[in-house]
């Protein structure tokens, strides 16, 4: 790729870094918050598995974003990603675990408004429905898992050190699974808008053809990994420890519930299986890692009747509402500047 393409992709890389700093940390937030896994260990595992998930299974959710707005100009894709990344960055600076998916959807709607393109109501309603379903499904999954796990522990009666060992291993495995699912589901947020507009030729490595989309997803996943290492610790602790007091077992349940929800909304195979037995397909939509984690945490809190820090939860929900609006406005203004000041094609 020549230098001009890298300049345009820089906003996508910034968005990937922002996702790593904000959303990707959530898969290990409860583990780090409960002091069961070191931050450095969590960051390393998360980074590797995000890259694998993005490259191997990242295509499914990107089609939904493409249907919401077909950003075919490289200048437009650059501005959409920059608006979303800037929004997520400012939310991250505030310590709020906002949704990168909400930011990119808001930015695409801003591009649609600027370009005069129609925002498909069916696609938008499908995306909005997953924003509601995601935390609810995570809460239900967490409650079911918690009951199963506590029942199993009561029957097996492991010693304290044995339970500690099982939980630590379980948190690492669940975090790895969650990181893979995050890469598969959320890489569309980072590089999805560039797929139509970026002129990249397929390449072959070890007799495996890497499409343009796979190359973009790999580059974006590396940016996510850098975000995890450099800036994610503050949000990890917000999600992992500030909302409710975490026990190691609770932390494992939250991570697994989050991971299952992300996997469900990114698995083409699972969606096809639903269709084959006469059920409606699962919408393959980039859902919020933050919403899944917080939904799971609140589900456990309600089940165990734990005190929830409602002020923190309210701040997080306000962030979810503000994010797409702020991103849409930033994108509209950014497109005007890029088109008129820098004379770039954005439509």
């Amino acid at each position: 790729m020549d230098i001009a393409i890298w300049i345009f992709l820089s906003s996508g890389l910034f968005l990937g870094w922002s996702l790593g700093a904000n959303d990707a940390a959530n898969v290990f937030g409860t583990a780090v918050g409960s002091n069961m896994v070191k931050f450095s260990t969590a960051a390393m595992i998360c980074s590797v598995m995000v890259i694998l998930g993005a490259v191997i299974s990242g295509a499914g959710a990107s089609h939904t974003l493409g249907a919401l707005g077909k950003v075919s100009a490289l200048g437009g894709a650059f501005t959409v990603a920059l608006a979303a990344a800037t929004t997520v960055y400012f939310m991250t600076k505030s310590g709020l675990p906002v949704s990168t998916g909400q930011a990119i959807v808001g930015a695409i709607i801003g591009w649609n408004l600027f370009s005069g393109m129609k925002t498909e109501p069916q696609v938008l309603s499908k995306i909005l429905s997953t924003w509601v379903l995601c935390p609810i499904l995570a809460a239900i999954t967490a409650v079911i898992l918690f009951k199963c796990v506590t029942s199993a522990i009561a029957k097996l009666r492991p010693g304290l050190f044995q339970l500690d060992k099982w939980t630590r291993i379980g948190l690492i495995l669940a975090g790895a699974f969650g990181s893979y699912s995050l890469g598969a589901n959320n890489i569309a947020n980072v590089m999805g808008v560039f797929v139509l507009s970026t002129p990249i030729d397929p390449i072959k490595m070890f007799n495996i053809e890497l499409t343009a989309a796979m190359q973009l997803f790999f580059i974006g996943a590396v940016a996510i990994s850098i975000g995890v290492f450099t800036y994610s610790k503050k949000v990890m602790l917000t999600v992992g420890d500030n909302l409710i007091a975490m026990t190691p077992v609770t932390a494992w349940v939250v991570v697994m519930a989050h991971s299952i929800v992300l996997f469900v909304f990114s698995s083409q195979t699972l969606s096809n299986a639903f269709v084959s037995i006469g059920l409606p397909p699962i919408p393959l939509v980039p859902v919020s890692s933050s919403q899944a984690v917080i939904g799971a945490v609140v589900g456990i809190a309600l089940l165990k009747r734990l005190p929830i820090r409602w002020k923190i939860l309210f701040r997080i929900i306000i962030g979810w509402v503000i994010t797409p609006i702020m991103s849409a406005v930033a994108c509209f203004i950014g497109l005007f500047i890029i088109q008129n000041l820098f004379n770039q094609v954005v439509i």
Side-chain angles (χ1 to χ4, degrees):
M1 290 188 288
D2 61 44
I3 189 66
I5 294 176
W6 280 108
I7 292 172
F8 281 112
L9 288 179
S10 63
S11 62
L13 299 179
F14 179 32
L15 181 58
W17 176 87
S18 299
L19 190 148
N22 196 301
D23 281 15
N26 295 335
V27 295
F28 276 107
T30 49
V32 173
S34 60
N35 296 316
M36 292 296 289
V37 178
K38 291 182 180 178
F39 171 75
S40 57
T41 303
M44 177 63 71
I45 296 170
C46 183
S47 299
V48 172
M49 296 307 293
V50 159
I51 292 173
L52 290 176
V55 175
I56 296 171
S57 306
S62 65
H63 297 305
T64 302
L65 284 184
L68 182 66
K70 300 184 184 299
V71 186
S72 55
L74 198 53
F78 166 82
T79 310
V80 167
L82 182 62
T86 304
T87 301
V88 173
Y89 173 74
F90 281 116
M91 290 296 183
T92 303
K93 284 280 287 183
S94 303
L96 294 176
V98 299
S99 167
T100 307
Q102 289 174 343
I104 199 71
V105 166
I108 291 173
I109 292 173
W111 182 86
N112 287 345
L113 291 171
F114 185 86
S115 64
M117 298 290 182
K118 180 183 178 183
T119 300
E120 290 294 334
Q122 287 185 332
V123 178
L124 182 59
S125 63
K126 181 165 75 169
I127 292 171
L128 293 177
S129 68
T130 61
W131 291 357
V132 177
L133 284 173
C134 175
I136 295 173
L137 184 58
I140 294 170
T141 305
V143 168
I144 294 170
L145 279 176
F146 185 81
K147 288 186 174 182
C148 291
V149 169
T150 51
S151 176
I153 291 173
K155 289 181 179 179
L156 295 172
R157 295 183 180 179
L160 185 61
F161 291 109
Q162 186 70 26
L163 179 60
D164 182 83
K165 180 181 177 181
W166 288 356
T167 307
R168 201 178 299 271
I169 293 171
L171 283 169
I172 291 172
L173 293 176
F177 171 47
S179 301
Y180 181 93
S181 298
L182 181 75
N185 187 272
N186 272 221
I187 193 63
N189 295 333
V190 176
M191 286 294 174
V193 292
F194 290 97
V195 171
L196 291 177
S197 61
T198 307
I200 302 177
D201 296 323
I203 59 174
K204 277 196 173 183
M205 291 182 65
F206 308 110
N207 292 322
I208 299 173
E209 184 176 83
L210 298 177
T211 64
M214 291 174 74
Q215 293 174 61
L216 286 171
F217 291 168
F218 174 77
I219 294 167
V222 171
I224 294 172
S225 301
I226 295 171
V228 173
F229 272 100
T230 58
Y231 211 79
S232 67
K233 200 168 187 178
K234 183 177 181 181
V235 178
M236 268 196 187
L237 295 175
T238 297
V239 173
D241 197 41
N242 288 349
L243 202 55
I244 65 169
M246 283 284 179
T247 66
V249 172
T250 304
W252 181 87
V253 169
V254 168
V255 174
M256 275 304 297
H258 150 277
S259 305
I260 289 168
V261 169
L262 260 65
F263 180 77
V264 165
F265 286 112
S266 61
S267 175
Q268 184 73 60
T269 304
L270 190 59
S271 182
N272 292 341
F274 268 55
V275 173
S276 67
I277 59 175
L279 295 173
I282 297 171
L284 300 180
V285 176
V287 294
S288 170
S289 171
S290 301
Q291 286 181 325
V293 166
I294 289 165
V297 169
V298 172
I300 293 297
L302 293 175
L303 175 69
K304 297 177 67 178
R305 297 182 180 179
L306 296 175
I308 298 173
R309 298 180 178 109
W310 292 107
K311 285 187 178 180
I312 294 175
L313 181 59
F314 182 72
R315 283 182 64 234
I316 291 170
I317 293 173
I318 289 296
W320 291 349
V321 174
I322 292 173
T323 296
I325 299 170
M326 184 185 299
S327 187
V329 172
C331 185
F332 192 94
I333 295 171
L335 288 166
F336 181 84
I337 293 171
I338 295 295
Q339 184 182 64
N340 294 283
L341 189 60
F342 295 97
N343 298 316
Q344 295 296 319
V345 178
V346 297
I347 300 174

